[in-house]
Amino acid sequence: MAESEYSVSVPRLSSLLQMDPYLKTFEKDFQRRYGLFEKQLTLLEEAEGGFDQFTRSYKSYGVQRMPDNSLVFKEWAPAAEALFLTGDFNGWDNFSHRYSKKDFGKWELHIHPKEDKTPAVAHNSKLKVVVHTRAGERLYRISPWAKYVTRHEKSVIYDWVHWDPPQPYIVSDYFPPRILIFGKDLLISAALFTVIHPGYNCIQLMAIMEHAYYASFGYQVTSFFAASSRYGTPEELKELIDVAHSLGIIVLLDVVHSHASKNTEDGLNSFDGSDSCFFHSGPCGEHSLWDSRLFNYSGWEVLRFLLSNLRWWMEEYRFDGFRFDGVTSMLYHHHGIGSGFSGDYTEYFGLHVDEDSLVYLMLANHILHTLYQDCITIAEDVSGMPTLCRPVQEGGLGFDYRLAMAIPDKWIQILKEFKDEDWNMGNIVYTMTNRRYGEKCIAYAESHDQALVGDKTLAFWLMDKDMYTNMSALIPMNSVIDRGIQLHKMIRLLTHGLGGEGYLNFMGNEFGHPEWLDFPRVGNNESYHYARRQFNLGWLAAPPAYISAKHEGDKVIVFERANVIFIFNFHPTNSYSNYRVALGPPGKYPSPL
């Protein structure tokens, strides 16, 4: 494509360049990226009637029940020689129900209802797509659009289950108001009460998209449209989200569009018998570290599949947004492997950037934020890509937040490698505040990376085995537990106050409560005021903090945010009285102690 075709005007690029003048050098890169984005939108309009129609493809692909109870099956399998449908409904006959070949690698099958006008394929019956390849192979596959898959106890392979309940769960139209993120990374097994009681207003559900390998924690997805059967049925997930909404809780999905499982019989890999289909062929389609397949984001049907997948979770289950996993892998041809990312801007522009996937993310964010005004998107990116969290109209990628992934790594490093007296206040403050101006971050002290993936939680790094023997109120406090509890609170409060515009906590790794708990009684006039968390979350909406002190000798950090003065003493032995600190706005500052 000629360079002139990329020379488009980005609507609000000037505001981005004013925010960060260093980006002026890469103005043509922004113009090219935005040009590619605009071209895709134009093509969607011309070929599909616009992105609204295109992203509703889950209503035509897979299996659809028509008003007369006839069933229409539709797949995209460009390399297949023939497709058949088999299952409980036809006694597992491999040849009785043949798909018709259509244009552009698509296949369709129409099945009339039974004589009693009921669907020929009953709810909860099992199905398989039989793929005949040009090499003469016969393959058994699950539809990529399958809405539910299950595994028998003694089986390794998942089964496609036709999900069409006679009385589906009716999702209410209630949507919680958009509020600033105060997140909780949560496994589905946790009760909603554990979220409400401490005062969280948002939960992020992990491992929802079906994954055959349980130990992957949901990051090796096999069925992208199916809610994992490990936790219940699709209707039960809808009810969970509905109840959360009724309680004013936003629910985000941990979505994995960065790669897919290599499974063939119950995954997307080699669906039509070829090495490509949804993925790049050859080495470009393999992630060497994750042992998984990589999507071809330039493919028309791949865009249909992934963008419709996002729409499906928003429409069918009423999720409020997404945390996109593995964004760094998507943004670069090297997938971040062996790249330290020093922050030099040349690392974020040039031939090593995968503009196909970058444009896909721009499309995804543009479509989601256009269709759903209150949708929240969060990027898991370790590279620090500039403009990741700026609007698409500015030339950015359109995310609302990025995860401040360096912060939990820093705390683990400190606890592993340094004595208390060697903690570097300046380095801690730098890590907490090292984020791009104008791009919001979700701060967190630890997540599942520490709790599940081969490491230890902060509490265990701090207190280890003493947690089992010396935390009883019936025995004297020892020095290990005393130190551990205090540092555990300080680490979380410092991260919460200084680290970002939102806070993420993983499954009960709570930070310390700043005020007392007091249940209703005669002495407090039966008040519920102190029978809940009293933590004031207002500073998350405030601008970044002003750091007035980071004293290495005293091990003291002082900063101001939202008219609150934070003073941290990390010294292992020294305490201070009459410690002088600088204040901004004049006035009285009451102590919380």
Side-chain angles (χ1 to χ4, degrees), residues 425-590:
M425 301 296 103
N427 187 251
I428 291 173
V429 168
Y430 174 79
T431 303
M432 294 289 159
T433 58
N434 183 24
R435 55 187 186 271
R436 297 192 179 280
Y437 178 76
E439 299 192 41
K440 294 180 181 178
C441 282
I442 305 293
Y444 56 111
E446 64 182 319
S447 74
H448 62 282
D449 287 335
Q450 285 76 40
L452 292 178
V453 193
D455 210 323
K456 298 192 293 187
T457 63
L458 291 179
F460 269 90
W461 276 113
L462 287 163
M463 295 173 279
D464 206 68
K465 63 181 184 298
D466 285 65
M467 293 180 68
Y468 296 107
T469 58
N470 292 285
M471 292 196 75
S472 171
L474 302 177
I475 61 175
M477 174 88 70
N478 72 10
S479 59
V480 173
I481 297 299
D482 189 27
R483 168 186 176 270
I485 290 176
Q486 303 311 319
L487 283 177
H488 198 261
K489 292 178 181 179
M490 293 174 70
I491 286 170
R492 275 170 163 67
L493 182 57
L494 181 64
T495 302
H496 192 284
L498 193 56
E501 289 69 40
Y503 183 80
L504 175 70
N505 187 40
F506 177 73
M507 269 188 83
N509 291 334
E510 310 292 345
F511 50 79
H513 191 281
E515 295 187 58
W516 64 92
L517 281 171
D518 196 5
F519 292 95
R521 56 184 174 84
V522 175
N524 63 15
N525 296 319
E526 304 296 329
S527 172
Y528 284 88
H529 183 71
Y530 288 108
R532 58 185 174 86
R533 298 281 178 166
Q534 300 295 310
F535 209 86
N536 188 333
L537 307 179
W539 55 70
L540 290 176
Y546 172 73
I547 298 100
S548 58
K550 41 188 177 182
H551 198 290
E552 297 300 341
D554 293 346
K555 301 299 180 190
V556 168
I557 294 173
V558 183
F559 65 89
E560 177 186 310
R561 189 174 183 189
N563 291 325
V564 178
I565 305 298
F566 294 78
I567 306 173
F568 290 84
N569 175 16
F570 282 99
H571 203 288
T573 58
N574 291 357
S575 60
Y576 307 102
S577 59
N578 300 318
Y579 199 93
R580 297 177 64 86
V581 299
L583 300 180
K588 294 183 178 180
Y589 289 79

Side-chain angles (χ1 to χ4, degrees), residues 318-478:
R318 301 297 179 91
F319 278 96
D320 301 295
F322 304 96
R323 178 263 201 186
F324 281 73
D325 176 70
V327 169
T328 305
S329 176
M330 300 173 70
L331 293 176
Y332 309 96
H333 291 296
H334 53 64
H335 309 298
I337 300 172
S339 298
F341 295 109
S342 65
D344 188 318
Y345 275 23
T346 59
E347 296 172 337
Y348 309 119
F349 301 93
L351 296 178
H352 48 280
V353 175
D354 188 340
E355 291 191 329
D356 289 335
S357 58
L358 187 145
V359 170
Y360 164 70
L361 292 172
M362 293 173 73
L363 280 171
N365 279 305
H366 172 75
I367 291 169
L368 287 170
H369 289 102
T370 301
L371 294 173
Y372 311 100
Q373 183 179 358
D374 294 327
C375 178
I376 297 169
T377 59
I378 302 171
E380 186 212 27
D381 170 47
V382 299
S383 74
M385 166 71 78
T387 75
L388 188 75
C389 299
R390 297 304 302 173
V392 172
Q393 291 75 17
E394 289 184 3
L397 272 69
F399 286 99
D400 296 297
Y401 299 86
R402 77 196 316 150
L403 289 178
M405 301 178 70
I407 294 177
D409 291 342
K410 174 57 65 175
W411 286 125
I412 291 293
Q413 181 203 14
I414 288 171
L415 294 178
K416 283 182 179 180
E417 299 178 8
F418 294 96
K419 299 176 182 178
D420 292 1
E421 57 269 26
D422 294 332
W423 286 25
N424 186 301
M425 301 296 103
N427 187 251
I428 291 173
V429 168
Y430 174 79
T431 303
M432 294 289 159
T433 58
N434 183 24
R435 55 187 186 271
R436 297 192 179 280
Y437 178 76
E439 299 192 41
K440 294 180 181 178
C441 282
I442 305 293
Y444 56 111
E446 64 182 319
S447 74
H448 62 282
D449 287 335
Q450 285 76 40
L452 292 178
V453 193
D455 210 323
K456 298 192 293 187
T457 63
L458 291 179
F460 269 90
W461 276 113
L462 287 163
M463 295 173 279
D464 206 68
K465 63 181 184 298
D466 285 65
M467 293 180 68
Y468 296 107
T469 58
N470 292 285
M471 292 196 75
S472 171
L474 302 177
I475 61 175
M477 174 88 70
N478 72 10

Side-chain angles (χ1 to χ4, degrees), residues 41-296:
L41 281 183
T42 302
L43 290 174
L44 286 175
E45 190 68 40
E46 294 174 349
E48 303 279 348
F51 62 73
D52 186 25
Q53 177 102 1
F54 186 65
T55 57
R56 292 183 185 271
S57 294
Y58 59 83
K59 291 190 172 184
S60 57
Y61 282 72
V63 53
Q64 309 295 329
R65 178 160 57 89
M66 299 294 106
D68 64 351
N69 279 341
S70 62
L71 297 172
V72 178
F73 293 80
K74 185 175 182 179
E75 302 294 349
W76 177 65
E81 185 68 24
L83 255 63
F84 295 86
L85 184 70
T86 188
D88 294 335
F89 78 103
N90 66 1
W92 295 96
D93 189 319
N94 288 335
F95 301 100
S96 62
H97 290 77
R98 181 171 186 151
Y99 287 73
S100 299
K101 189 173 184 178
K102 305 297 181 181
D103 293 336
F104 307 111
K106 298 170 187 175
W107 303 80
E108 283 189 10
L109 168 64
H110 295 250
I111 303 180
H112 297 293
K114 296 179 182 178
E115 292 183 3
D116 62 0
K117 305 302 182 183
T118 59
V121 181
H123 167 62
N124 252 337
S125 57
K126 294 181 180 179
L127 299 168
K128 286 282 188 184
V129 178
V130 184
V131 179
H132 288 248
T133 71
R134 292 166 188 168
E137 297 176 288
R138 184 191 303 168
L139 309 174
Y140 296 89
R141 297 288 188 256
I142 291 176
S143 169
W145 303 81
K147 300 177 178 68
Y148 193 52
V149 297
T150 61
R151 181 180 64 83
H152 190 273
E153 285 183 4
K154 298 181 180 179
S155 175
V156 175
I157 305 300
Y158 274 72
D159 296 309
W160 174 18
V161 175
H162 178 52
W163 191 257
D164 188 17
Q167 295 181 320
Y169 183 83
I170 306 299
V171 180
S172 72
D173 289 329
Y174 174 81
F175 288 95
R178 175 163 179 157
I179 41 185
L180 290 168
I181 295 290
F182 180 38
K184 185 175 182 71
D185 209 349
L186 182 79
L187 288 176
I188 191 89
S189 57
L192 282 175
F193 178 75
T194 66
V195 180
I196 304 164
H197 181 63
Y200 295 109
N201 60 26
C202 180
I203 57 176
Q204 172 189 313
L205 298 183
M206 294 173 57
I208 296 299
M209 303 166 78
E210 190 59 271
H211 48 291
Y213 182 45
Y214 203 2
S216 74
F217 307 113
Y219 295 118
Q220 293 275 352
V221 176
T222 45
S223 291
F224 283 73
F225 286 82
S228 180
S229 59
R230 290 181 178 87
Y231 316 123
T233 67
E235 310 310 300
E236 289 170 329
L237 176 58
K238 293 174 188 176
E239 183 178 7
L240 174 75
I241 296 170
D242 220 14
V243 171
H245 284 166
S246 72
L247 298 170
I249 299 173
I250 288 173
V251 187
L252 305 181
L253 174 67
D254 197 350
V255 71
V256 185
H257 281 184
S258 49
H259 64 130
S261 168
K262 292 180 75 172
N263 287 19
T264 54
E265 290 190 56
D266 54 8
L268 290 185
N269 192 19
S270 188
F271 173 69
D272 63 357
S274 73
D275 180 45
S276 52
C277 199
F278 291 95
F279 309 108
H280 288 289
S281 61
C284 290
E286 307 259 349
H287 197 291
S288 59
L289 291 184
W290 296 344
D291 193 31
S292 54
R293 295 304 311 272
L294 296 172
F295 288 104
N296 176 9

